[in-house]
Amino acid sequence: MAQFGEAAARAWLMDYGRAWGWLAALGLLVADLVLPVPATSVISALGYGYGAVAGGLIGAAGSFLSGALAYELCRRCGLRAADRLLGPEDRERAARIFGGRMGGWLVALSRWMPLLPEMTACMAGLTGMPRRRFFTALACGCLPMGLTFAAIGIAGASHAAKFAMFQSQRAPLPPTPASPR
């Protein structure tokens, strides 16, 4: 997936044409479960190709589908699999976190971070986080994230495309020790 730097994601997506590019993007966003797909670059490319609102909604839908699939697949594995992966004590601790007030926040905020969306959705499924809480939090995280990164893609259309792609790849990074507090 090294080809998805800068404008390459946009070009790859538009190779499918305006009529089918959105479907290719949905496929990429769902494939992010098992492949290292830079989802923020894909969503920025959607914004560039389809506009901030349509691109953002498509990106949010792809992120939602990816999270829903991860959650449901892991939930179907059951508590026995969770105990084998985590151990009973850690699974119970994770279940308290995902079942409590913090669980929804973890799911929603994880959509903005690299790697965390998939792991968080899987943990929520493994620990049996209630579906209603999970899907509500998932939607609350996906929609603003999708619209924001699609707007960054629009910025690439009117300003420097490299700047927009840099921002879409850098924005989800957590603060570093050198970052101002």
Side-chain angles (χ1 to χ4, degrees):
M1 290 288 154
Q3 74 184 46
F4 279 89
E6 301 181 16
R10 195 173 57 241
W12 181 87
L13 201 58
M14 291 303 121
D15 280 348
Y16 283 92
R18 200 163 157 75
W20 296 105
W22 66 272
L23 189 57
L26 283 179
L28 278 175
L29 292 170
V30 171
D32 190 29
L33 284 174
V34 295
L35 297 173
V37 176
T40 55
S41 293
V42 173
I43 297 170
S44 292
L46 282 166
Y48 183 85
Y50 294 95
V53 175
L57 292 175
I58 295 166
S63 183
F64 188 91
L65 285 172
S66 180
L69 184 60
Y71 172 83
E72 289 297 338
L73 288 174
C74 289
R75 188 174 175 106
R76 292 195 198 294
C77 290
L79 295 179
R80 188 178 290 158
D83 283 344
R84 279 194 305 261
L85 286 170
L86 305 172
E89 289 178 12
D90 286 339
R91 186 207 34 93
E92 287 177 19
R93 189 174 337 151
R96 282 193 302 275
I97 292 169
F98 281 99
R101 291 182 179 169
M102 290 301 297
W105 284 105
L106 285 172
V107 171
L109 294 175
S110 74
R111 303 319 289 175
W112 293 79
M113 307 297 283
L115 298 178
L116 284 182
E118 297 81 15
M119 291 189 307
T120 304
C122 286
M123 287 296 294
L126 281 173
T127 60
M129 182 178 187
R131 280 185 173 92
R132 183 175 178 182
R133 180 176 292 154
F134 175 79
F135 287 115
T136 300
L138 184 64
C140 288
C142 290
L143 190 59
M145 184 271 305
L147 292 170
T148 299
F149 286 109
I152 289 172
I154 288 291
S158 59
H159 296 45
K162 287 184 179 192
F163 173 75
M165 294 308 284
F166 170 77
Q167 284 299 97
S168 70
Q169 291 171 353
R170 193 228 175 280
L173 296 177
T176 62
S179 298
R181 299 199 196 285

